[in-house]
Amino acid sequence: MAYDKFNILKSTVVPLPTENVDTDQIIPARFLKATEREGFGDNLFRDWRYDVEGNPKKDFVLNDPTFSGKILLAGKNFGSGSSREHAVWALYDYGFRCVVSSFFADIFKNNCLNIGVLPVTVSAEFADVLFEAVENDPSTEVEVDIEKQTITLVSTGASESFDINVYKKENMKNGFDDIDYLLNIKDEITEFAVNR
Amino acid sequence: MEKKTLFDKIWDAHVVRSVPHGPDVFFIDKHFIHEVTSPVAFLNLEKRGVGVLYPERTVATPDHNVPTIDQDKTIKDKLSRMQVERLRENCERHNIELHDLGSAHHGIVHVIGPELGITQPGMTIVCGDSHTSTHGAFGAIAFGIGTSEVEMVFATQCIMQVKAKKMRITVDGELGKGVSSKDIILYIIAKISAAGATGYFVEYAGSAIRALSMEARMTICNMSIEMGARGGLIAPDETTFNYLKGKRYSPKGEEWEKAVAEWRNLQTDEGAVFDKEYQFDAADIEPMITYGTNPGMGIKVKENIPSTDGMEGSNKKSYLKSLDYMGFAPGEPIKGKKVDYVFVGSCTNGRIEDIREVANFVKGKKKADNITAWIVPGSREVEKLAHEEGLVQILEEAGFKLRQPGCSACLAMNDDKIPSGMYAVSTSNRNFEGRQGPGARTLLASPLTVAAVAVTGEISDPREVF
Ligand code: SF4
């Protein structure tokens, strides 16, 4: 599925410093029963966001009106566990276009890139700088520039560069996905398959 | 000649082309699908107007959300029913082999693949499920993928991935009495942490690994993802060949001889270099159990829950949040804690060997009164064997409830949920918050330890119970 092009994203930030957030927290298994890719945002972080009666839990950041934005600033080892792409669908559907962390789980990172949510890996020190800035001033803006591969704290100009391979970068910038690429080389694939 | 690891050999043989400064176009031999992560892939395929390129390379089974009672009746939960029906329709439309609910080979996808001999050495295998790493036990590259990639495999039998780094974990020596492969992997994960192998593909080696049965090897490879690894694999040997011989999809006759001869080459060359190596001594491993909310939070049953000494900042906060969820305090012993449920099942430990082990140990005993004991076979085949071998009777006499095959309380998508606040000691693979139901508290352990807990009603070291 093609997705929105990603070039420069300037936004306020939602901080979630908890470490080892697994995809079962991002979207619990009981909400994976849909046969279409819609509406997952409602159940994003369901059990941290709502109590058993469905009332919002006040202390969870998504229920805190002071924080909002298209960038989720997450703790270390974000997205571990289950390969469910639904986790990224939920983030996307909720409105996040970028997740920043000092460490991502593998499959989650792949899934992000496949549907157009940019995972930005920063150093642990820079993550701390961002957390502090955002928690002190929720109106803090962060700018992510995919062409330059930089993430910048707008207020101070503090900046760091991040990695992304050239192929994925072009995909993100153009809203392409891997299937477009693969379908274009189908003949090469079917030839390869003869001997497998 | 360049020295290659087993992982290199299989990976390199499946690269259709490499994108400069990008991923490899990676060919997939076998693709497993289930009802939860496939419907959107099928839907998108149709939106693009593309068909399934090699339907014979995909095998399907509904396992994640299915009820584990009354499987012959219509599924009550509407959404679950729709997913299963959608899987049926899609398989029918695209000509994909389906092992449906109630059929002879229905079961958890990672249990039936090996059982049917679909999983073979040297293959590349993917599934929209992170525990696809299970199949690595046969010397295959197997890993979990997202739904976008499921769609790619349907359309082109390829995905695009950057080759992982290589790690080798060697376990030498002999395991002590009462220690099993689940303890090995829980021990390893506790040592290198739940993120310690992120970015790597792991090869497990050493005499302790080679001594394991196929079932036990699958348990180890299964949990590779729980330390962040893309997958894990074990070089094939006689144990592998003996397991595969005569299985439904295994090569037959001359083909078999040819295949085995080729499979024998699937070894890491001596002197091949890994990006990271770990070595462990089997004698150091004892019955393990987790106390927190990720699989890296594991200790020996006899040990105390770690104190917060030396922790600070978000690390300490996350740790305390985790213990708070579990209702445990730092520094206290885990042994003797009261337990409410035990769960034997899942793609980690829902195989016949696991059920034999539990039956063998509870034979003639009774579960404790405070325990609800569920045992869920990984497949119909396992269920059938358990009946034939008289294990079901033994287990039922001990007070266990045998349910029908499926993922069940491993992820609690169906009705098999542990009630909020209750403690479950489980043979499954994840102890995340709410994994076994909202508010449920999960402790992971081996089938043997679970059996010990069932009988005593509290956290126990199996070596002290039997
Ligand atoms: S048993 Fe659990 S871990 Fe295994 S495939 Fe099913 S849900 Fe996933």
Side-chain angles (χ1 to χ4, degrees):
Chain A
M1 284 257 292
Y3 44 80
D4 301 343
K5 295 178 185 175
F6 195 115
N7 284 299
I8 293 176
L9 176 67
K10 190 167 157 189
S11 167
T12 48
V13 174
V14 178
L16 182 67
T18 310
E19 296 180 359
N20 298 312
V21 173
D22 56 78
T23 53
D24 272 78
Q25 307 318 315
I26 301 176
I27 183 134
R30 60 189 192 280
F31 301 110
L32 305 183
K33 289 181 179 172
T35 45
E36 301 198 10
R37 213 197 102 172
E38 267 138 42
F40 286 99
D42 294 344
N43 295 314
L44 176 68
F45 292 113
R46 178 74 198 202
D47 293 337
W48 286 357
R49 207 165 137 200
Y50 301 104
D51 64 18
V52 273
E53 274 94 46
N55 303 311
K57 293 186 185 175
K58 286 216 172 53
D59 56 352
F60 187 61
V61 68
L62 292 192
N63 297 324
D64 182 346
T66 41
F67 295 106
S68 64
K70 292 184 174 172
I71 299 173
L72 178 68
L73 176 59
K76 196 170 74 184
N77 195 25
F78 189 75
S80 59
S82 161
S83 59
R84 58 188 71 161
E85 198 170 294
H86 310 67
V88 194
W89 300 344
L91 289 165
Y92 189 96
D93 193 47
Y94 185 85
F96 290 116
R97 290 293 174 275
C98 174
V99 186
V100 181
S101 172
S102 62
F103 197 98
F104 286 102
D106 251 358
I107 301 179
F108 176 81
K109 195 169 167 182
N110 249 326
N111 287 344
C112 280
L113 288 164
N114 280 336
I115 73 148
V117 171
L118 183 68
V120 173
T121 308
V122 296
S123 66
E125 295 74 38
F126 196 65
D128 286 345
V129 169
L130 294 176
F131 273 119
E132 208 186 311
V134 171
E135 274 155 13
N136 285 340
D137 178 7
S139 71
T140 298
E141 280 190 312
V142 165
E143 185 177 281
V144 178
D145 184 329
I146 193 162
E147 179 54 42
K148 293 199 199 127
Q149 296 181 217
T150 53
I151 172 166
T152 308
L153 190 60
V154 177
S155 55
T156 66
S159 182
E160 197 171 83
S161 61
F162 61 87
D163 266 353
I164 178 169
N165 73 51
V166 179
Y167 166 81
K168 283 291 180 191
K169 180 169 160 178
E170 288 308 308
N171 271 3
M172 289 289 295
K173 276 163 55 188
N174 296 302
F176 292 160
D177 60 20
D178 287 351
I179 300 203
D180 301 327
Y181 184 98
L182 290 170
L183 286 171
N184 273 329
I185 60 161
K186 205 159 146 189
D187 292 347
E188 193 179 328
I189 293 171
T190 47
E191 208 170 292
F192 184 92
V194 174
N195 297 317
R196 294 290 335 163
Chain B
M1 217 178 69
E2 192 199 346
K3 308 257 191 266
K4 285 184 161 193
T5 68
L6 169 58
F7 173 71
D8 291 322
K9 289 181 186 178
I10 305 172
W11 183 278
D12 297 350
H14 288 82
V15 174
V16 178
R17 66 149 81 163
S18 297
V19 180
H21 309 292
D24 289 335
V25 174
F26 189 63
F27 189 82
I28 302 303
D29 293 321
K30 283 288 171 203
H31 181 206
F32 294 107
I33 59 170
H34 59 84
E35 77 282 20
V36 176
T37 55
S38 69
V40 172
F42 278 116
L43 203 67
N44 287 349
L45 207 61
E46 266 153 44
K47 280 188 197 154
R48 279 180 208 265
V50 179
V52 176
L53 185 60
Y54 297 116
E56 70 280 11
R57 289 182 182 270
T58 296
V59 176
T61 193
D63 55 2
H64 278 61
N65 76 23
V66 298
T68 52
I69 47 163
D70 297 335
Q71 286 186 345
D72 53 329
K73 307 210 173 86
T74 314
I75 301 174
K76 280 198 202 110
D77 182 276
K78 186 171 157 248
L79 294 172
S80 297
R81 192 173 66 237
M82 267 175 60
Q83 276 190 331
V84 173
E85 278 168 5
R86 193 58 56 83
L87 184 70
R88 281 177 195 144
E89 288 160 23
N90 284 327
C91 287
E92 167 119 22
R93 185 171 316 145
H94 296 281
N95 221 352
I96 290 168
E97 177 176 327
L98 170 70
H99 295 282
D100 206 349
L101 217 53
S103 71
H105 289 286
H106 171 253
I108 303 172
V109 61
H110 310 311
V111 177
I112 68 167
E115 241 170 40
L116 286 162
I118 297 171
T119 305
Q120 293 171 15
M123 280 184 170
T124 54
I125 299 171
V126 294
C127 172
D129 183 282
S130 57
H131 294 100
T132 309
S133 58
T134 313
H135 307 265
F138 291 79
I141 290 185
F143 54 89
I145 56 175
T147 297
S148 294
E149 290 169 308
V150 171
E151 187 188 346
M152 291 175 214
V153 180
F154 284 151
T156 67
Q157 205 59 39
C158 288
I159 55 172
M160 302 189 68
Q161 287 230 348
V162 176
K163 191 176 175 183
K165 289 182 283 183
K166 291 158 286 182
M167 178 187 286
R168 179 163 56 191
I169 299 178
T170 307
V171 189
D172 279 316
E174 247 177 76
L175 288 178
K177 199 172 150 271
V179 184
S180 68
S181 71
K182 182 63 161 286
D183 299 308
I184 300 182
I185 191 65
L186 286 174
Y187 178 86
I188 293 173
I189 302 169
K191 285 281 176 201
I192 75 175
S193 94
T198 303
Y200 292 89
F201 213 97
V202 178
E203 178 174 347
Y204 301 95
S207 58
I209 303 291
R210 278 198 301 278
L212 299 173
S213 69
M214 281 321 293
E215 283 86 352
R217 292 179 189 186
M218 283 188 250
T219 303
I220 294 205
C221 289
N222 173 278
M223 289 193 70
S224 303
I225 180 75
E226 306 313 335
M227 50 185 166
R230 192 81 64 82
L233 80 178
I234 295 172
D237 58 11
E238 294 308 318
T239 307
T240 322
F241 310 145
N242 288 338
Y243 178 98
L244 282 174
K245 194 158 189 188
K247 292 271 187 289
R248 177 150 148 198
Y249 287 104
S250 294
K252 306 272 147 54
E254 248 175 67
E255 289 294 309
W256 169 258
E257 300 302 329
K258 240 176 72 191
V260 171
E262 265 177 47
W263 293 343
R264 286 190 200 282
N265 297 324
L266 294 170
Q267 304 286 333
T268 289
D269 295 332
E270 203 150 322
V273 179
F274 288 82
D275 299 288
K276 203 161 197 172
E277 296 233 32
Y278 286 98
Q279 252 124 19
F280 298 108
D281 184 349
D284 293 339
I285 305 174
E286 295 182 66
M288 297 285 296
I289 194 155
T290 64
Y291 58 88
T293 53
N294 74 59
M297 302 174 82
I299 47 174
K300 292 177 179 170
V301 175
K302 65 177 194 190
E303 289 175 334
N304 291 353
I305 294 169
S307 72
T308 52
D309 293 352
M311 291 184 193
E312 51 180 42
S314 59
N315 180 12
K316 185 171 174 180
K317 252 197 219 150
S318 300
Y319 182 74
L320 290 174
K321 177 175 186 291
S322 174
L323 285 196
D324 181 52
Y325 180 85
M326 293 301 293
F328 293 150
E332 64 175 350
I334 190 109
K335 219 166 80 178
K337 291 267 179 206
K338 274 266 167 296
V339 174
D340 308 292
Y341 280 75
V342 300
F343 170 62
V344 179
S346 88
C347 59
T348 314
N349 284 119
R351 299 189 177 77
I352 188 64
E353 199 173 83
D354 305 309
I355 296 185
R356 276 187 204 130
E357 194 159 54
V358 174
N360 195 13
F361 276 80
V362 300
K363 191 171 182 175
K365 301 187 181 67
K366 285 255 180 285
K367 71 160 185 72
D369 288 341
N370 56 311
I371 294 278
T372 304
W374 289 342
I375 191 152
V376 185
S379 70
R380 286 276 293 211
E381 181 70 23
V382 172
E383 185 184 29
K384 188 171 135 234
L385 285 171
H387 276 285
E388 284 171 7
E389 294 179 17
L391 309 176
V392 174
Q393 201 190 339
I394 295 172
L395 288 161
E396 283 178 348
E397 277 168 13
F400 280 72
K401 277 201 196 69
L402 183 90
R403 306 178 74 93
Q404 290 172 304
C407 294
S408 177
C410 173
L411 91 166
M413 253 189 106
N414 66 359
D415 289 337
D416 306 349
K417 292 182 174 52
I418 309 298
S420 185
M422 298 252 170
Y423 290 92
V425 181
S426 301
T427 66
S428 49
N429 44 50
R430 286 188 172 139
N431 51 351
F432 298 151
E433 281 184 34
R435 173 78 180 184
Q436 297 198 280
R441 293 159 160 169
T442 301
L443 297 88
L444 305 173
S446 74
L448 211 54
T449 301
V450 168
V453 171
V455 171
T456 58
E458 57 185 44
I459 309 285
S460 310
D461 188 323
R463 297 169 302 187
E464 292 165 6
V465 178
F466 300 101

